[in-house]
Amino acid sequence: MGQTPAQKAAKAARGQQPKKRPGKAQREAIKRAQAVKKKTGGGKPAARKTAVKKAVPLPRGAVRAAYPGTCPACFKDYAKGEVITKVADGWGHPGCAPRQISAAEREFARNKARIESGETFRGQKASDWRRGASPSSTRPAR
């Protein structure tokens, strides 16, 4: 809505100038400047881009040490801020922690032990195969 001449005069007396809409040439210049900013990366200074460091993700279950300490597995010291993880008797180096094996690895190890000990199906039952005949054959072997 437009302002009355009295309202415009009151604003001018307070030190506020009425907003003027930029002309067509000014609007086009503003749009060009905004397009250039978008193409060049938003007008942020290059120093700002290089100063921002991305945090390196830690392995699952690992943290950065809040204070220096000693690894209970190898009895070597670790510094404040070093990556540590839960070991048998406390917190220590990730390499000193026992490796967690997956369910598939556990099953593979169990099956391998059964095969090596002779506890397989072939070891438990005699073969029905006969020379020159299939196991499903009811004809007596020669």
Side-chain angles (χ1 to χ4, degrees), residues 23-38:
K24 184 176 181 181
Q26 287 177 325
R27 285 193 304 257
E28 289 174 359
I30 291 170
K31 284 183 183 179
R32 279 194 303 266
Q34 288 173 345
V36 168
K37 269 189 179 180
K38 282 183 183 179

Side-chain angles (χ1 to χ4, degrees), residues 59-63 71-75 78 83-101:
R60 187 179 183 120
V63 295
C71 176
C74 66
F75 300 107
Y78 56 83
V83 177
I84 57 174
T85 188
K86 195 80 166 155
V87 293
D89 299 329
W91 291 86
H93 302 112
C96 297
R99 191 172 86 78
Q100 299 291 326
I101 61 172

Side-chain angles (χ1 to χ4, degrees), residues 14-126:
R14 288 192 305 247
Q16 294 178 348
Q17 295 294 327
K19 288 188 178 181
K20 294 181 181 177
R21 185 170 182 226
K24 184 176 181 181
Q26 287 177 325
R27 285 193 304 257
E28 289 174 359
I30 291 170
K31 284 183 183 179
R32 279 194 303 266
Q34 288 173 345
V36 168
K37 269 189 179 180
K38 282 183 183 179
K39 285 182 183 177
T40 60
K44 294 181 182 176
R48 171 106 174 124
K49 287 182 182 179
T50 58
V52 176
K53 290 184 179 178
K54 290 189 176 184
V56 177
L58 297 174
R60 187 179 183 120
V63 295
R64 296 211 179 267
Y67 49 87
T70 305
C71 176
C74 66
F75 300 107
K76 292 183 182 176
D77 294 334
Y78 56 83
K80 177 182 177 182
E82 196 173 324
V83 177
I84 57 174
T85 188
K86 195 80 166 155
V87 293
D89 299 329
W91 291 86
H93 302 112
C96 297
R99 191 172 86 78
Q100 299 291 326
I101 61 172
S102 68
E105 289 174 317
R106 276 195 302 270
E107 185 179 355
F108 176 80
R110 195 177 317 118
N111 289 341
K112 184 177 178 183
R114 287 179 61 205
I115 290 168
E116 288 174 349
S117 69
E119 187 188 327
T120 60
F121 290 108
R122 186 173 286 174
Q124 291 176 357
K125 144 181 155 179

